[in-house]
Amino acid sequence: MMVFLTIAIAHFIALISPGPDFLLIIKSTLNNTKRVAFGVISGIVAANAIYIALCMAGVGAILAQSITTMIIIKLFGGLFLIYIAWQALRAKKQDYAFLMVNAKESKNECIQSSFSREFMIGLSSGLLNPKNLLFYLSLFTVVLDSQDNSTLFKVGIAVWMVVAVLVWDSLFMYILTRPMIRNQFSRCAYWIDKVAGVILGIIGLKIVHLAFKETAYLRLFLNNK
């Protein structure tokens, strides 16, 4: 029970910490209907479920031990975040005009995106974030080192973590869709998008820089071998 509580608390703290997924949910919720915005949440949950399943099966440890694989994941992950940041930064102020229409008119507004597109954005963000793999690996290391590491126990923890991601992200989206809160956010949507774009861009650049740095170290190691 103590192991479960330790993992649950660590997972929840990581879940509520603002990161790329957090910013993508804000961006998608402000720019789309609830149904379309749920696409990005579904993608994020699917990505988390994939990494949790890989770690539970032991494949995650193999991936983490491959320096080349991790560098590739980091490189593509960084470039993806830079692309999302560029999309946000290049948007014009008039692109956000539809957010200021009243509730009745908004139902007839054209959807800015689609569920499948938002799903792929959420999925890509989750899968191309190397921190997700490493985080779940560290949690499952605790499970493997514990006395109770039965399949049933591991499956129970895995299901709990996937449900926790789904519930938390959905709750956050629901709060953002409340009329009073959404109106406040909508007035600032243009600047929120810009700030989110800058933060995502910085994170993306740092990840790409780290990937190139690790590539240089790897080449140096191989040349001196």
Side-chain angles (χ1 to χ4, degrees):
M1 186 64 181
M2 199 64 195
V3 175
F4 180 82
L5 286 175
T6 302
I7 291 173
I9 292 169
H11 182 248
F12 184 70
I13 291 172
L15 197 59
I16 63 176
S17 301
D21 293 347
F22 179 83
L23 295 172
L24 284 177
I25 292 171
I26 293 176
K27 188 176 184 301
S28 183
T29 303
L30 291 179
N31 294 327
N32 302 291
T33 62
K34 278 193 284 189
R35 181 188 171 279
V36 173
F38 188 71
V40 82
I41 292 175
S42 301
I44 291 169
V45 172
N48 278 265
I50 289 170
Y51 273 142
I52 289 169
L54 288 175
C55 291
M56 197 171 70
V59 179
I62 298 172
L63 288 175
Q65 287 173 1
S66 172
I67 298 173
T68 305
T69 302
M70 292 306 294
I71 288 174
I72 292 171
I73 291 175
K74 286 177 182 177
L75 185 59
F76 277 98
L79 291 174
F80 175 76
L81 290 181
I82 291 170
Y83 169 74
I84 295 295
W86 170 246
Q87 290 289 94
L89 293 172
R90 68 190 289 267
K92 298 175 182 177
K93 204 160 189 175
Q94 54 263 38
D95 294 335
Y96 300 82
F98 76 97
L99 292 172
M100 299 310 296
V101 296
N102 61 46
K104 186 177 179 180
E105 290 174 330
S106 64
K107 292 178 182 178
N108 299 319
E109 284 290 324
C110 295
I111 295 173
Q112 299 296 299
S113 185
S114 64
F115 181 92
S116 58
R117 185 176 185 276
E118 295 300 303
F119 176 85
M120 289 309 299
I121 289 175
L123 182 68
S124 301
S125 173
L127 290 179
L128 294 175
N129 185 352
K131 287 184 179 180
N132 283 342
L133 173 61
L134 297 175
F135 174 70
Y136 286 120
L137 267 178
S138 64
L139 289 186
F140 273 93
T141 300
V142 175
V143 175
L144 294 173
D145 289 341
S146 68
Q147 292 181 339
D148 186 5
N149 59 2
S150 63
T151 302
L152 184 63
F153 183 63
K154 287 189 286 187
V155 170
I157 288 177
V159 170
W160 186 90
M161 287 193 288
V162 172
V163 171
V165 174
L166 176 61
V167 172
W168 174 256
D169 288 352
S170 298
L171 179 63
F172 181 59
M173 184 192 75
Y174 175 77
I175 292 171
L176 283 178
T177 57
R178 304 315 299 154
M180 187 182 296
I181 296 174
R182 187 183 177 94
N183 287 341
Q184 293 299 320
F185 267 92
S186 295
R187 290 191 183 95
C188 308
Y190 175 77
W191 296 110
I192 289 173
D193 233 10
K194 299 308 172 191
V195 172
V198 170
I199 295 173
L200 288 173
I202 291 172
I203 294 172
L205 288 171
K206 282 185 70 176
I207 293 173
V208 170
H209 174 70
L210 186 62
F212 278 115
K213 199 174 179 181
E214 289 177 356
T215 303
Y217 285 143
L218 182 60
R219 284 178 180 172
L220 187 64
F221 173 77
L222 293 173
N223 288 336
N224 294 330
K225 197 171 180 181

